[in-house]
Amino acid sequence: MSGRKRIQVDESEWFRTRRQAARLKDVQRALPGMLDDIRRRTHADLERVFGVVEERQRTVEQAVQGLSDRARELESRTQERLRAQARRMAEELRATAGELRRETAEDLAEQEHRLQEEIAAERRERRREVGRLAEEVGELVLDRERAAALAHEAISDARAMHLLVHTAFPADVHPHARRTDSLAEQLDRAAETLGRGRSDAALATAQSVYQGLSDLLQELERHDRERRRDRVRAGELLLHVQHLIKVNAVQDVREAEGEEPTDAVLDVEYWSGGELTRLRAETARLQERVGDEERPPDTGELRDILEHRVPELEQRLAETVERAGRRRQESQMRVNLAGSVVGTLEEITGYELTDGTYSGDDQREAFFAKLVHRNGNEIVVEVAPAGTGGGTAVLRVLSYDRDTTARDELTTRGHEVARGLRDRGIAASDPEAEDGEPDPAYRDFDALRRALPRAATDT
């Protein structure tokens, strides 16, 4: 006859009636010290990042002064707009540092879109002017001196713009080297054409090259500013995640809704099985990647961090804190459940509780309680996690009898335990007899405290 009785216990009802026992604070809480640190570090990043942008703009503006009057007027207006937009971007990021609002990114994107539309409209007008000039030169082919002067001016502007693109954005930091090389080859052909006396054709080619290089300069400027803006925001959000991990590592535990926190705390690192350490390390790796100056992340990688990686980290943190709290509740539930079983057994059998321990002295594992009868018989109650994560536990009642106990008595004992649990509002299945006799090793509670006998909790 088997002295092993197994009962499946559904903890969901227990959780519903006691779901406030370890209520956790919102993982997104913002502490003043945390926000101050985020603002301080974000402001430092902005000074560094946009300091580079301002230095580059000064270089561009100085180079623009060497262009022809027509080109200088257009490029100066464009640079003035870009400089003003860069300042607005930096000011808005500085003003909203620590707020982490999605609207900030959307507002900046809308500002950038409007700016690019304005610049594009100016450039379309510039192309119309260039077209009219080309027609004039075509009509005045007899005025070779004027035609040659215009062609020389266009080639000179294009060469200056080509040098400026390379100076402001070295080919090794942007993917457009082939494009600039192709435009440079076209410019060389324009010079050769001018040398053969074809001023009209040379002018048209040089102006086309200039427009291509000028557009490329603005495109590179826009992408670079967007990338730098995204680096600042990614660094800010990742720093926020690190702070959230820190402030949520230890949670106050409320014993009931509305009550003040007790001295009990939830150690999220312990109850999550080290998940906080893994989250912290992953966040640190992303922070290092965002700040990599030797091989800086491109816009696509930064967008992935902003739109996917950071939200995933925050979601995992929330799930980790929730899971840690649930595991602590489950652990307490196992003790309470064992207490209910012990109470029932004491009432129906005359056994008395003598000891209790977690397996391996680890509160995340199975809980054991021992009852002893005056005749020397023993009962060990094991309440183990079911391992499904669904709020269930496995209860085993292991009977160690010195005398011969009838099968009917053991079966009755199991049904009485299940009935006692149901009377306490705990959903419990009918008992099932397991093959074989209880392992005598589970009687040694000192050994249970020292080791973690996984076989005892296998289902």
Side-chain angles (χ1 to χ4, degrees):
M1 68 192 72
S2 173
R4 301 172 61 182
K5 293 292 183 286
R6 167 179 168 147
I7 300 173
Q8 190 84 5
V9 179
D10 183 357
E11 298 175 348
S12 59
E13 188 65 28
W14 189 91
F15 276 128
R16 281 192 291 272
T17 59
R18 296 166 174 82
R19 59 184 177 272
Q20 299 298 334
R23 185 174 184 174
L24 304 179
K25 294 179 180 178
D26 184 3
V27 298
Q28 295 296 335
R29 62 184 176 175
L31 303 179
M34 178 180 79
L35 294 179
D36 290 343
D37 185 51
I38 291 175
R39 290 191 187 101
R40 183 174 61 255
R41 294 177 65 169
T42 299
H43 289 172
D45 284 344
L46 286 169
E47 292 298 325
R48 176 177 51 81
V49 167
F50 281 92
V52 175
V53 173
E54 291 175 359
E55 180 62 30
R56 184 176 64 240
Q57 286 177 331
R58 284 192 289 270
T59 299
V60 172
E61 290 166 4
Q62 183 177 0
V64 163
Q65 297 308 308
L67 299 176
S68 65
D69 292 343
R70 290 173 181 268
R72 183 171 60 251
E73 181 182 358
L74 175 64
E75 299 301 337
S76 294
R77 287 201 305 269
T78 299
Q79 289 305 314
E80 184 177 350
R81 290 173 180 270
L82 290 171
R83 183 171 60 253
Q85 172 63 6
R87 288 174 178 169
R88 286 196 300 271
M89 179 186 294
E91 289 169 0
E92 187 153 356
L93 287 172
R94 187 176 292 106
T96 58
E99 297 181 14
L100 310 170
R101 295 183 303 169
R102 181 177 294 274
E103 310 89 82
T104 299
E106 294 173 351
D107 290 346
L108 291 173
E110 178 60 26
Q111 291 177 18
E112 187 70 32
H113 178 69
R114 289 197 301 269
L115 173 64
Q116 293 306 317
E117 286 187 338
E118 293 170 1
I119 292 176
E122 283 196 356
R123 293 189 174 282
R124 285 193 295 271
E125 179 60 30
R126 164 72 174 180
R127 289 190 178 92
R128 285 192 289 268
E129 292 178 4
V130 168
R132 288 193 294 270
L133 179 61
E135 291 176 1
E136 292 176 7
V137 171
E139 294 171 359
L140 300 173
V141 290
L142 296 179
D143 190 350
R144 296 182 179 277
E145 184 175 344
R146 181 187 176 199
L150 290 173
H152 274 295
E153 180 182 275
I155 291 174
S156 176
D157 283 345
R159 291 200 186 283
M161 186 59 69
H162 182 267
L163 177 60
L164 179 54
V165 169
H166 272 283
T167 301
F169 299 97
D172 60 345
V173 299
H174 69 80
H176 301 291
R178 291 185 179 180
R179 184 171 165 187
T180 53
D181 289 344
S182 175
L183 290 169
E185 291 173 359
Q186 294 178 45
L187 188 57
D188 289 339
R189 286 197 296 272
E192 294 173 359
T193 301
L194 179 60
R196 293 195 298 270
R198 293 289 309 278
S199 301
D200 54 340
L203 176 62
T205 300
Q207 288 174 334
S208 175
V209 170
Y210 175 86
Q211 289 297 327
L213 289 167
S214 180
D215 290 345
L216 176 58
L217 179 64
Q218 307 318 315
E219 180 182 341
L220 292 173
E221 177 69 30
R222 177 172 59 84
H223 283 305
D224 182 72
R225 285 190 303 153
E226 288 179 353
R227 183 178 62 84
R228 292 178 184 278
R229 177 198 67 199
D230 289 344
R231 286 184 79 178
V232 171
R233 287 186 55 77
E236 182 180 23
L237 290 174
L238 288 168
L239 181 60
H240 183 246
V241 173
Q242 287 285 29
H243 275 288
L244 288 178
I245 293 172
K246 180 178 179 181
V247 300
N248 284 282
V250 176
Q251 294 274 337
D252 294 326
V253 174
R254 296 178 183 272
E255 296 303 330
E257 186 173 9
E259 291 186 2
E260 291 300 316
T262 67
D263 291 336
V265 296
L266 172 69
D267 184 339
V268 177
E269 175 73 4
Y270 171 77
W271 289 103
S272 68
E275 180 63 16
L276 279 189
T277 294
R278 291 186 286 274
L279 279 171
R280 192 178 294 111
E282 186 172 340
T283 304
R285 284 194 295 271
L286 286 176
Q287 287 177 305
E288 183 178 355
R289 179 71 191 108
V290 168
D292 190 344
E293 295 295 344
E294 294 185 2
R295 193 172 55 88
D298 60 23
T299 300
E301 186 176 358
L302 289 169
R303 292 290 170 82
D304 179 63
I305 292 173
L306 285 168
E307 296 173 9
H308 302 289
R309 303 295 296 279
V310 168
E312 287 172 3
L313 288 170
E314 291 179 338
Q315 179 63 28
R316 281 173 55 193
L317 174 60
E319 292 171 354
T320 296
V321 174
E322 188 277 332
R323 185 164 52 250
R326 187 176 69 248
R327 287 176 178 172
R328 182 188 181 280
Q329 289 177 314
E330 291 171 351
S331 175
Q332 184 61 52
M333 181 271 179
R334 291 194 289 276
V335 176
N336 295 347
L337 181 57
S340 297
V341 174
V342 167
T344 300
L345 288 172
E346 287 178 333
E347 291 175 5
I348 66 175
T349 65
Y351 283 68
E352 294 183 357
L353 176 68
T354 62
D355 203 353
T357 185
Y358 285 98
S359 180
D361 205 22
D362 188 335
Q363 297 179 52
R364 297 167 296 187
E365 300 297 333
F367 183 80
F368 293 86
K370 179 189 287 189
L371 298 93
V372 178
H373 196 275
R374 59 178 173 270
N375 64 10
N377 291 345
E378 297 179 356
I379 296 176
V380 173
V381 176
E382 176 198 2
V383 185
T388 62
T392 58
V394 174
L395 165 65
R396 286 187 175 90
V397 179
L398 310 176
S399 298
Y400 300 91
D401 298 320
R402 293 179 181 273
D403 54 1
T404 302
T405 303
R407 178 185 298 273
D408 290 345
E409 183 178 338
L410 294 176
T411 300
T412 300
R413 182 183 296 173
H415 283 287
E416 288 289 345
V417 169
R419 187 179 303 112
L421 294 176
R422 294 185 192 119
D423 289 344
R424 290 172 170 83
I426 301 173
S429 67
D430 290 332
E432 301 176 6
E434 296 184 322
D435 294 335
E437 295 300 321
D439 188 339
Y442 299 140
R443 299 170 63 186
D444 186 350
F445 271 45
D446 288 336
L448 285 178
R449 291 186 182 91
R450 290 193 302 269
L452 188 60
R454 285 289 182 181
T457 57
D458 290 343
T459 58

mmCIF file of all heavy atoms in Angstrom, residues 59-92:
data_model
loop_
_atom_site.group_PDB
_atom_site.id
_atom_site.type_symbol
_atom_site.label_atom_id
_atom_site.label_comp_id
_atom_site.label_asym_id
_atom_site.label_seq_id
_atom_site.Cartn_x
_atom_site.Cartn_y
_atom_site.Cartn_z
ATOM 1 N N THR A 59 32.384 75.711 -40.116
ATOM 2 C CA THR A 59 33.266 75.334 -41.222
ATOM 3 C C THR A 59 32.552 75.504 -42.559
ATOM 4 O O THR A 59 33.118 76.032 -43.534
ATOM 5 C CB THR A 59 33.726 73.872 -41.061
ATOM 6 O OG1 THR A 59 34.455 73.736 -39.838
ATOM 7 C CG2 THR A 59 34.606 73.443 -42.231
ATOM 8 N N VAL A 60 31.293 75.057 -42.608
ATOM 9 C CA VAL A 60 30.518 75.170 -43.846
ATOM 10 C C VAL A 60 30.289 76.628 -44.204
ATOM 11 O O VAL A 60 30.461 77.050 -45.366
ATOM 12 C CB VAL A 60 29.175 74.424 -43.704
ATOM 13 C CG1 VAL A 60 28.278 74.700 -44.910
ATOM 14 C CG2 VAL A 60 29.403 72.924 -43.552
ATOM 15 N N GLU A 61 29.898 77.436 -43.207
ATOM 16 C CA GLU A 61 29.630 78.849 -43.474
ATOM 17 C C GLU A 61 30.871 79.573 -43.974
ATOM 18 O O GLU A 61 30.786 80.453 -44.845
ATOM 19 C CB GLU A 61 29.098 79.506 -42.202
ATOM 20 C CG GLU A 61 27.692 79.033 -41.833
ATOM 21 C CD GLU A 61 27.297 79.404 -40.428
ATOM 22 O OE1 GLU A 61 28.104 80.094 -39.763
ATOM 23 O OE2 GLU A 61 26.215 79.018 -39.990
ATOM 24 N N GLN A 62 32.033 79.226 -43.440
ATOM 25 C CA GLN A 62 33.276 79.849 -43.904
ATOM 26 C C GLN A 62 33.561 79.468 -45.344
ATOM 27 O O GLN A 62 33.971 80.316 -46.156
ATOM 28 C CB GLN A 62 34.435 79.417 -43.003
ATOM 29 C CG GLN A 62 35.753 80.077 -43.353
ATOM 30 C CD GLN A 62 36.867 79.666 -42.387
ATOM 31 O OE1 GLN A 62 36.648 78.896 -41.456
ATOM 32 N NE2 GLN A 62 38.051 80.189 -42.617
ATOM 33 N N ALA A 63 33.326 78.182 -45.672
ATOM 34 C CA ALA A 63 33.578 77.732 -47.051
ATOM 35 C C ALA A 63 32.595 78.371 -48.024
ATOM 36 O O ALA A 63 32.955 78.680 -49.175
ATOM 37 C CB ALA A 63 33.473 76.209 -47.118
ATOM 38 N N VAL A 64 31.361 78.596 -47.596
ATOM 39 C CA VAL A 64 30.338 79.183 -48.456
ATOM 40 C C VAL A 64 30.735 80.581 -48.905
ATOM 41 O O VAL A 64 30.389 81.018 -50.020
ATOM 42 C CB VAL A 64 28.978 79.200 -47.715
ATOM 43 C CG1 VAL A 64 27.989 80.154 -48.391
ATOM 44 C CG2 VAL A 64 28.405 77.783 -47.652
ATOM 45 N N GLN A 65 31.487 81.294 -48.072
ATOM 46 C CA GLN A 65 31.893 82.655 -48.426
ATOM 47 C C GLN A 65 32.792 82.689 -49.660
ATOM 48 O O GLN A 65 32.927 83.733 -50.310
ATOM 49 C CB GLN A 65 32.611 83.313 -47.240
ATOM 50 C CG GLN A 65 31.731 83.477 -46.005
ATOM 51 C CD GLN A 65 30.421 84.176 -46.304
ATOM 52 O OE1 GLN A 65 30.409 85.257 -46.908
ATOM 53 N NE2 GLN A 65 29.312 83.561 -45.884
ATOM 54 N N GLY A 66 33.386 81.567 -49.990
ATOM 55 C CA GLY A 66 34.249 81.524 -51.168
ATOM 56 C C GLY A 66 33.523 81.197 -52.447
ATOM 57 O O GLY A 66 34.152 81.110 -53.520
ATOM 58 N N LEU A 67 32.220 80.995 -52.414
ATOM 59 C CA LEU A 67 31.442 80.678 -53.613
ATOM 60 C C LEU A 67 31.102 81.948 -54.383
ATOM 61 O O LEU A 67 31.279 83.071 -53.901
ATOM 62 C CB LEU A 67 30.147 79.955 -53.214
ATOM 63 C CG LEU A 67 30.302 78.617 -52.472
ATOM 64 C CD1 LEU A 67 28.935 78.074 -52.062
ATOM 65 C CD2 LEU A 67 31.054 77.594 -53.334
ATOM 66 N N SER A 68 30.580 81.757 -55.560
ATOM 67 C CA SER A 68 30.121 82.895 -56.363
ATOM 68 C C SER A 68 28.931 83.554 -55.682
ATOM 69 O O SER A 68 28.319 82.987 -54.769
ATOM 70 C CB SER A 68 29.718 82.416 -57.761
ATOM 71 O OG SER A 68 28.585 81.556 -57.670
ATOM 72 N N ASP A 69 28.598 84.770 -56.133
ATOM 73 C CA ASP A 69 27.512 85.505 -55.493
ATOM 74 C C ASP A 69 26.209 84.725 -55.516
ATOM 75 O O ASP A 69 25.487 84.664 -54.507
ATOM 76 C CB ASP A 69 27.311 86.854 -56.192
ATOM 77 C CG ASP A 69 28.484 87.793 -55.959
ATOM 78 O OD1 ASP A 69 29.270 87.519 -55.015
ATOM 79 O OD2 ASP A 69 28.617 88.780 -56.699
ATOM 80 N N ARG A 70 25.878 84.133 -56.663
ATOM 81 C CA ARG A 70 24.621 83.393 -56.775
ATOM 82 C C ARG A 70 24.586 82.228 -55.794
ATOM 83 O O ARG A 70 23.616 82.033 -55.061
ATOM 84 C CB ARG A 70 24.451 82.853 -58.194
ATOM 85 C CG ARG A 70 24.171 83.902 -59.249
ATOM 86 C CD ARG A 70 24.189 83.251 -60.630
ATOM 87 N NE ARG A 70 23.946 84.198 -61.686
ATOM 88 C CZ ARG A 70 22.738 84.468 -62.192
ATOM 89 N NH1 ARG A 70 21.668 83.872 -61.680
ATOM 90 N NH2 ARG A 70 22.583 85.341 -63.170
ATOM 91 N N ALA A 71 25.642 81.421 -55.792
ATOM 92 C CA ALA A 71 25.687 80.233 -54.925
ATOM 93 C C ALA A 71 25.762 80.631 -53.455
ATOM 94 O O ALA A 71 25.118 80.007 -52.591
ATOM 95 C CB ALA A 71 26.884 79.363 -55.295
ATOM 96 N N ARG A 72 26.537 81.664 -53.166
ATOM 97 C CA ARG A 72 26.705 82.076 -51.768
ATOM 98 C C ARG A 72 25.379 82.521 -51.170
ATOM 99 O O ARG A 72 25.070 82.192 -50.013
ATOM 100 C CB ARG A 72 27.729 83.204 -51.671
ATOM 101 C CG ARG A 72 27.992 83.629 -50.224
ATOM 102 C CD ARG A 72 29.163 84.593 -50.138
ATOM 103 N NE ARG A 72 28.950 85.808 -50.901
ATOM 104 C CZ ARG A 72 29.572 86.130 -52.022
ATOM 105 N NH1 ARG A 72 30.498 85.318 -52.536
ATOM 106 N NH2 ARG A 72 29.314 87.270 -52.657
ATOM 107 N N GLU A 73 24.571 83.225 -51.934
ATOM 108 C CA GLU A 73 23.290 83.697 -51.418
ATOM 109 C C GLU A 73 22.380 82.526 -51.039
ATOM 110 O O GLU A 73 21.788 82.505 -49.951
ATOM 111 C CB GLU A 73 22.595 84.572 -52.474
ATOM 112 C CG GLU A 73 21.255 85.118 -52.007
ATOM 113 C CD GLU A 73 20.564 85.953 -53.084
ATOM 114 O OE1 GLU A 73 21.148 86.128 -54.173
ATOM 115 O OE2 GLU A 73 19.441 86.408 -52.816
ATOM 116 N N LEU A 74 22.290 81.535 -51.912
ATOM 117 C CA LEU A 74 21.432 80.384 -51.648
ATOM 118 C C LEU A 74 21.951 79.569 -50.464
ATOM 119 O O LEU A 74 21.196 79.233 -49.546
ATOM 120 C CB LEU A 74 21.333 79.493 -52.889
ATOM 121 C CG LEU A 74 20.545 78.181 -52.694
ATOM 122 C CD1 LEU A 74 19.087 78.471 -52.379
ATOM 123 C CD2 LEU A 74 20.671 77.288 -53.923
ATOM 124 N N GLU A 75 23.237 79.255 -50.483
ATOM 125 C CA GLU A 75 23.792 78.409 -49.429
ATOM 126 C C GLU A 75 23.768 79.112 -48.074
ATOM 127 O O GLU A 75 23.554 78.474 -47.039
ATOM 128 C CB GLU A 75 25.231 78.009 -49.777
ATOM 129 C CG GLU A 75 25.368 77.196 -51.064
ATOM 130 C CD GLU A 75 24.583 75.896 -51.034
ATOM 131 O OE1 GLU A 75 24.294 75.387 -49.927
ATOM 132 O OE2 GLU A 75 24.247 75.392 -52.125
ATOM 133 N N SER A 76 23.955 80.413 -48.074
ATOM 134 C CA SER A 76 23.919 81.146 -46.803
ATOM 135 C C SER A 76 22.532 81.075 -46.188
ATOM 136 O O SER A 76 22.370 80.877 -44.970
ATOM 137 C CB SER A 76 24.330 82.607 -47.007
ATOM 138 O OG SER A 76 25.688 82.687 -47.384
ATOM 139 N N ARG A 77 21.488 81.236 -47.011
ATOM 140 C CA ARG A 77 20.124 81.135 -46.491
ATOM 141 C C ARG A 77 19.861 79.739 -45.947
ATOM 142 O O ARG A 77 19.244 79.565 -44.885
ATOM 143 C CB ARG A 77 19.111 81.472 -47.595
ATOM 144 C CG ARG A 77 19.021 82.941 -47.961
ATOM 145 C CD ARG A 77 17.711 83.254 -48.651
ATOM 146 N NE ARG A 77 17.490 82.414 -49.826
ATOM 147 C CZ ARG A 77 17.857 82.731 -51.057
ATOM 148 N NH1 ARG A 77 18.496 83.876 -51.288
ATOM 149 N NH2 ARG A 77 17.602 81.926 -52.061
ATOM 150 N N THR A 78 20.313 78.733 -46.673
ATOM 151 C CA THR A 78 20.107 77.352 -46.233
ATOM 152 C C THR A 78 20.806 77.090 -44.910
ATOM 153 O O THR A 78 20.234 76.503 -43.982
ATOM 154 C CB THR A 78 20.620 76.366 -47.295
ATOM 155 O OG1 THR A 78 19.899 76.564 -48.515
ATOM 156 C CG2 THR A 78 20.441 74.926 -46.833
ATOM 157 N N GLN A 79 22.054 77.525 -44.797
ATOM 158 C CA GLN A 79 22.798 77.300 -43.563
ATOM 159 C C GLN A 79 22.189 78.043 -42.386
ATOM 160 O O GLN A 79 22.186 77.549 -41.255
ATOM 161 C CB GLN A 79 24.265 77.723 -43.761
ATOM 162 C CG GLN A 79 25.051 76.802 -44.670
ATOM 163 C CD GLN A 79 25.005 75.351 -44.194
ATOM 164 O OE1 GLN A 79 25.181 75.072 -43.005
ATOM 165 N NE2 GLN A 79 24.774 74.449 -45.129
ATOM 166 N N GLU A 80 21.657 79.233 -42.656
ATOM 167 C CA GLU A 80 21.012 79.985 -41.587
ATOM 168 C C GLU A 80 19.792 79.222 -41.066
ATOM 169 O O GLU A 80 19.557 79.151 -39.850
ATOM 170 C CB GLU A 80 20.597 81.363 -42.110
ATOM 171 C CG GLU A 80 19.990 82.252 -41.034
ATOM 172 C CD GLU A 80 19.653 83.638 -41.573
ATOM 173 O OE1 GLU A 80 20.059 83.954 -42.709
ATOM 174 O OE2 GLU A 80 18.986 84.401 -40.842
ATOM 175 N N ARG A 81 19.025 78.644 -41.970
ATOM 176 C CA ARG A 81 17.864 77.850 -41.561
ATOM 177 C C ARG A 81 18.298 76.616 -40.773
ATOM 178 O O ARG A 81 17.700 76.262 -39.753
ATOM 179 C CB ARG A 81 17.068 77.427 -42.794
ATOM 180 C CG ARG A 81 16.340 78.555 -43.500
ATOM 181 C CD ARG A 81 15.748 78.028 -44.803
ATOM 182 N NE ARG A 81 15.038 79.056 -45.538
ATOM 183 C CZ ARG A 81 13.734 79.331 -45.396
ATOM 184 N NH1 ARG A 81 13.031 78.659 -44.515
ATOM 185 N NH2 ARG A 81 13.165 80.274 -46.116
ATOM 186 N N LEU A 82 19.314 75.942 -41.266
ATOM 187 C CA LEU A 82 19.790 74.733 -40.588
ATOM 188 C C LEU A 82 20.326 75.045 -39.200
ATOM 189 O O LEU A 82 20.106 74.289 -38.247
ATOM 190 C CB LEU A 82 20.876 74.057 -41.436
ATOM 191 C CG LEU A 82 20.403 73.403 -42.741
ATOM 192 C CD1 LEU A 82 21.604 72.979 -43.575
ATOM 193 C CD2 LEU A 82 19.510 72.199 -42.444
ATOM 194 N N ARG A 83 21.057 76.150 -39.095
ATOM 195 C CA ARG A 83 21.612 76.523 -37.796
ATOM 196 C C ARG A 83 20.495 76.838 -36.800
ATOM 197 O O ARG A 83 20.534 76.409 -35.643
ATOM 198 C CB ARG A 83 22.527 77.731 -37.961
ATOM 199 C CG ARG A 83 23.215 78.135 -36.641
ATOM 200 C CD ARG A 83 24.277 79.194 -36.876
ATOM 201 N NE ARG A 83 23.733 80.404 -37.465
ATOM 202 C CZ ARG A 83 23.913 80.781 -38.721
ATOM 203 N NH1 ARG A 83 24.639 80.031 -39.543
ATOM 204 N NH2 ARG A 83 23.386 81.900 -39.188
ATOM 205 N N ALA A 84 19.463 77.550 -37.264
ATOM 206 C CA ALA A 84 18.345 77.887 -36.385
ATOM 207 C C ALA A 84 17.596 76.623 -35.951
ATOM 208 O O ALA A 84 17.203 76.481 -34.788
ATOM 209 C CB ALA A 84 17.391 78.843 -37.095
ATOM 210 N N GLN A 85 17.408 75.690 -36.894
ATOM 211 C CA GLN A 85 16.717 74.447 -36.548
ATOM 212 C C GLN A 85 17.529 73.615 -35.564
ATOM 213 O O GLN A 85 16.977 73.008 -34.636
ATOM 214 C CB GLN A 85 16.439 73.639 -37.823
ATOM 215 C CG GLN A 85 15.907 72.236 -37.588
ATOM 216 C CD GLN A 85 14.558 72.222 -36.892
ATOM 217 O OE1 GLN A 85 13.958 73.279 -36.682
ATOM 218 N NE2 GLN A 85 14.092 71.046 -36.510
ATOM 219 N N ALA A 86 18.843 73.570 -35.729
ATOM 220 C CA ALA A 86 19.701 72.818 -34.811
ATOM 221 C C ALA A 86 19.604 73.396 -33.402
ATOM 222 O O ALA A 86 19.553 72.650 -32.411
ATOM 223 C CB ALA A 86 21.146 72.839 -35.295
ATOM 224 N N ARG A 87 19.562 74.711 -33.310
ATOM 225 C CA ARG A 87 19.432 75.344 -31.996
ATOM 226 C C ARG A 87 18.090 75.026 -31.365
ATOM 227 O O ARG A 87 17.999 74.758 -30.160
ATOM 228 C CB ARG A 87 19.623 76.853 -32.130
ATOM 229 C CG ARG A 87 21.074 77.256 -32.401
ATOM 230 C CD ARG A 87 21.188 78.736 -32.670
ATOM 231 N NE ARG A 87 22.583 79.122 -32.888
ATOM 232 C CZ ARG A 87 22.969 80.302 -33.348
ATOM 233 N NH1 ARG A 87 22.048 81.217 -33.653
ATOM 234 N NH2 ARG A 87 24.248 80.569 -33.527
ATOM 235 N N ARG A 88 17.014 75.077 -32.174
ATOM 236 C CA ARG A 88 15.690 74.741 -31.642
ATOM 237 C C ARG A 88 15.654 73.297 -31.146
ATOM 238 O O ARG A 88 15.067 72.999 -30.103
ATOM 239 C CB ARG A 88 14.618 74.950 -32.712
ATOM 240 C CG ARG A 88 14.283 76.411 -32.989
ATOM 241 C CD ARG A 88 12.978 76.545 -33.736
ATOM 242 N NE ARG A 88 12.990 75.862 -35.027
ATOM 243 C CZ ARG A 88 13.378 76.425 -36.162
ATOM 244 N NH1 ARG A 88 13.796 77.689 -36.161
ATOM 245 N NH2 ARG A 88 13.361 75.750 -37.284
ATOM 246 N N MET A 89 16.281 72.411 -31.919
ATOM 247 C CA MET A 89 16.306 71.005 -31.539
ATOM 248 C C MET A 89 17.025 70.827 -30.210
ATOM 249 O O MET A 89 16.531 70.138 -29.297
ATOM 250 C CB MET A 89 16.996 70.173 -32.624
ATOM 251 C CG MET A 89 17.081 68.686 -32.306
ATOM 252 S SD MET A 89 18.054 67.782 -33.539
ATOM 253 C CE MET A 89 17.021 67.975 -34.988
ATOM 254 N N ALA A 90 18.193 71.446 -30.084
ATOM 255 C CA ALA A 90 18.966 71.316 -28.852
ATOM 256 C C ALA A 90 18.213 71.911 -27.665
ATOM 257 O O ALA A 90 18.179 71.338 -26.571
ATOM 258 C CB ALA A 90 20.324 71.998 -29.008
ATOM 259 N N GLU A 91 17.577 73.071 -27.873
ATOM 260 C CA GLU A 91 16.836 73.719 -26.793
ATOM 261 C C GLU A 91 15.651 72.872 -26.346
ATOM 262 O O GLU A 91 15.374 72.737 -25.148
ATOM 263 C CB GLU A 91 16.360 75.100 -27.248
ATOM 264 C CG GLU A 91 17.494 76.116 -27.384
ATOM 265 C CD GLU A 91 17.051 77.393 -28.076
ATOM 266 O OE1 GLU A 91 15.846 77.468 -28.439
ATOM 267 O OE2 GLU A 91 17.889 78.294 -28.270
ATOM 268 N N GLU A 92 14.945 72.274 -27.300
ATOM 269 C CA GLU A 92 13.781 71.470 -26.936
ATOM 270 C C GLU A 92 14.209 70.189 -26.226
ATOM 271 O O GLU A 92 13.579 69.773 -25.246
ATOM 272 C CB GLU A 92 12.955 71.132 -28.179
ATOM 273 C CG GLU A 92 11.652 70.445 -27.847
ATOM 274 C CD GLU A 92 10.589 70.681 -28.904
ATOM 275 O OE1 GLU A 92 10.842 71.446 -29.858
ATOM 276 O OE2 GLU A 92 9.513 70.095 -28.772
#
